[in-house]
Amino acid sequence: MTTRPIAAIILAAGKGTRMKSDLHKVLHPVAGQPMLMHLLASVDALAPARKIVVIGSGRDQLEAALGGSADLAVQEPQLGTGHAVQQAKAALSGFDGDVLILYGDVPLVRAETMQRMLDRLHAPDAPVIVVLGFEPVDTLRYGRVITDGDRIVKMVEHKDASDDERAVRLCNSGLMAARSRDLFALLDRVGNDNAAGEYYLVDIVNIANADGRMSAVVMTEPLEVAGVNSRAELAEMEGAWQARRRIAAMAEGATLIAPETVWFAHDTCIGRDVTIEPNVFFGPGVTIADGATIRANCHIEGATIGPGCDVGPFARLRPGTVLGEAARIGNFVETKKAVLGAGAKANHLTYLGDAEIGARANIGAGTITCNYDGFFKYRTVIGDGAFVGSNAALVAPVTIGAGAIVGAGSVITADVAADALAVARGAQSAKPGWAGRFRQLMTAKKNGK
């Protein structure tokens, strides 16, 4: 393990034209998180001293997304990968440490892989450059790495490679590690005498070889260095990420009835003995405790679900929802900023927004917390053990005391004391024989009599 300071240069200057989007390419999400943020999370695990993102267009978007967590360098015009890395030189002025060169549209590189690159950089044979290589199923569009063992003999871009070189299966991911003093000294010597007229980053390896200095390759699997250049590739990456996450969830003790139909976010946290039925979507910010059951066709985001809870089917839990132990949310129930105590339940056709529901409270079918008056949001508080009858409207702000009962069909606009009965509906009246006379009258009219 190296103790030298680490800097990361992340290349994100590509125009992303194939995405056909106003959103910068590296900000397109995988599992609910921008690709760039996936990569930075791995970088941050190494506690870097500096992070520089090299951009072309979309500066405002990237500045907003990064929130000052990384420096920006601008590449304009864009003259190749070697030229892009050079744009970070000024930002790393005075830095003496190791540099990782990464790509913002290659988001799934793990911190462990980055560390392996750094460890190889500081092995006894002290390579000047470490390249991350891989062997894809289709090698046609990748630059090749020609090796002797793990020592690099030559690196060549596909368009400049000979037939024999194109037959080599070991490909260049573009990711590298180098000492800062070596990196920029070599980049200063890179030319653009090639098929594209660009300054290739890979040429630093060939220049080092010509100087008699050795570079090495570290291997990884293709998925880890997969890049995204189109919506189709973004969907492929999402699918690959989800497939891995499902396997991990099951390995950690969750049951997924139909794994291919469950969609996780990047930060979904699941306990043991959790059961997830088909067609469940998790947005960001969900934590599920041990023993909970998530039934089919639920959409859950920003929610904390306690141990032994039962949710769904067809439930929607929105941000700010917190379910206490063994709470129950049933079919076609929606919650938002709602906290349910232990054993509380809302089994059917209910909206609970900006609400606090006490332990063991029962919320009847069709209940609505009327939390919005068109201008402001207001809170509803329902005490422990309270019973709210079906089709009740609770007009916030309002408090239903512990143990109170709200009659079915009531519109509650004032607080209800503990253990009280509240009924707010018109009195029922009956008119004997009225329905029969009405039918006779209307039938006569219909028949023209």
Side-chain angles (χ1 to χ4, degrees):
M1 298 284 288
T2 178
T3 57
R4 288 168 55 83
I6 299 167
I9 300 174
I10 300 166
L11 306 187
K15 296 184 183 300
T17 53
R18 289 170 58 193
M19 297 295 286
K20 292 182 169 55
S21 175
D22 293 331
L23 181 67
H24 196 289
K25 179 171 72 169
V26 301
L27 297 181
H28 282 263
V30 172
Q33 183 180 48
M35 289 190 286
L36 179 60
M37 301 312 169
H38 277 276
L39 183 63
L40 286 174
S42 294
V43 171
D44 287 342
L46 302 180
R50 302 292 299 276
K51 294 177 287 186
I52 299 93
V53 179
V54 180
I55 65 168
S57 60
R59 183 185 186 108
D60 291 347
Q61 290 184 10
L62 284 165
E63 282 183 337
L66 290 166
S69 63
D71 296 324
L72 295 180
V74 178
Q75 183 194 20
E76 188 58 47
Q78 293 166 28
L79 303 177
T81 51
H83 179 255
V85 175
Q86 279 186 313
Q87 308 315 302
K89 184 176 181 179
L92 289 178
S93 176
F95 175 80
D96 185 17
D98 299 334
V99 178
L100 288 164
I101 300 170
L102 309 167
Y103 292 78
D105 59 359
V106 181
L108 301 187
V109 187
R110 298 174 300 157
E112 293 84 354
T113 299
M114 298 178 195
Q115 186 63 60
R116 284 198 295 119
M117 296 169 67
L118 296 171
D119 291 345
R120 184 67 184 90
L121 189 67
H122 292 279
D125 57 356
V128 63
I129 305 290
V130 173
V131 173
L132 188 61
F134 69 111
E135 293 186 354
V137 175
D138 177 5
T139 62
L140 293 180
R141 59 193 176 96
Y142 296 106
R144 302 302 201 275
V145 185
I146 315 302
T147 61
D148 179 6
D150 75 343
R151 296 190 174 202
I152 300 174
V153 175
K154 180 182 179 182
M155 294 187 67
V156 59
E157 293 289 349
H158 168 73
K159 64 186 73 174
D160 298 310
S162 67
D163 290 342
D164 287 343
E165 289 167 341
R166 290 181 181 182
V168 172
R169 294 198 53 77
L170 180 58
C171 293
N172 171 31
S173 71
L175 281 69
M176 296 184 181
R179 298 166 190 83
S180 57
R181 64 185 70 176
D182 293 327
L183 173 63
F184 292 110
L186 290 167
L187 281 171
D188 287 340
R189 298 166 62 189
V190 171
N192 65 344
D193 184 16
N194 52 61
E198 295 185 347
Y199 297 88
Y200 289 153
L201 179 62
V202 298
D203 282 349
I204 64 175
V205 174
N206 298 324
I207 293 170
N209 280 346
D211 291 345
R213 304 179 71 187
M214 185 270 294
S215 296
V217 66
V218 168
M219 295 291 294
T220 192
E221 59 183 337
L223 176 60
E224 194 170 4
V225 292
V228 172
N229 293 295
S230 66
R231 306 276 186 162
E233 290 177 354
L234 183 66
E236 288 176 5
M237 180 163 289
E238 180 77 37
W241 189 97
Q242 293 293 340
R244 286 192 166 193
R245 183 64 184 91
R246 293 161 189 151
I247 291 170
M250 292 184 286
E252 293 162 3
T255 294
L256 276 57
I257 302 300
E260 69 280 4
T261 70
V262 176
W263 294 81
F264 293 107
H266 65 98
D267 59 351
T268 307
C269 182
I270 304 173
R272 296 179 61 179
D273 296 316
V274 170
T275 298
I276 303 175
E277 293 184 354
N279 301 314
V280 174
F281 181 89
F282 295 103
V286 175
T287 298
I288 306 172
D290 296 351
T293 297
I294 311 299
R295 302 195 181 276
N297 301 297
C298 290
H299 188 290
I300 301 173
E301 181 176 1
T304 300
I305 298 171
C309 287
D310 194 323
V311 177
F314 294 99
R316 184 182 182 195
L317 274 54
R318 292 166 56 192
T321 296
V322 178
L323 305 184
E325 183 174 2
R328 164 79 176 129
I329 295 292
N331 50 289
F332 302 104
V333 174
E334 179 180 353
T335 62
K336 188 273 293 185
K337 289 186 180 178
V339 179
L340 277 70
K345 56 186 178 181
N347 280 322
H348 323 280
L349 304 163
T350 290
Y351 172 69
L352 300 173
D354 298 285
E356 180 180 340
I357 293 104
R360 304 175 310 283
N362 184 92
I363 311 300
T367 296
I368 297 173
T369 57
C370 306
N371 58 331
Y372 183 51
D373 65 1
F375 297 93
F376 300 102
K377 297 288 182 71
Y378 302 94
R379 191 160 183 79
T380 297
V381 177
I382 300 171
D384 294 352
F387 182 96
V388 179
S390 298
N391 202 35
L394 310 178
V395 182
V398 69
T399 296
I400 310 299
I405 296 176
V406 174
S410 295
V411 177
I412 301 298
T413 59
D415 292 351
V416 179
D419 292 321
L421 168 65
V423 180
R425 57 179 181 242
Q428 180 172 319
S429 64
K431 299 180 179 180
W434 186 93
R437 293 192 298 272
F438 174 77
R439 283 192 293 271
Q440 289 176 356
L441 176 62
M442 299 309 291
T443 298
K445 286 185 177 181
K446 186 175 181 179
N447 294 333
K449 294 181 180 179

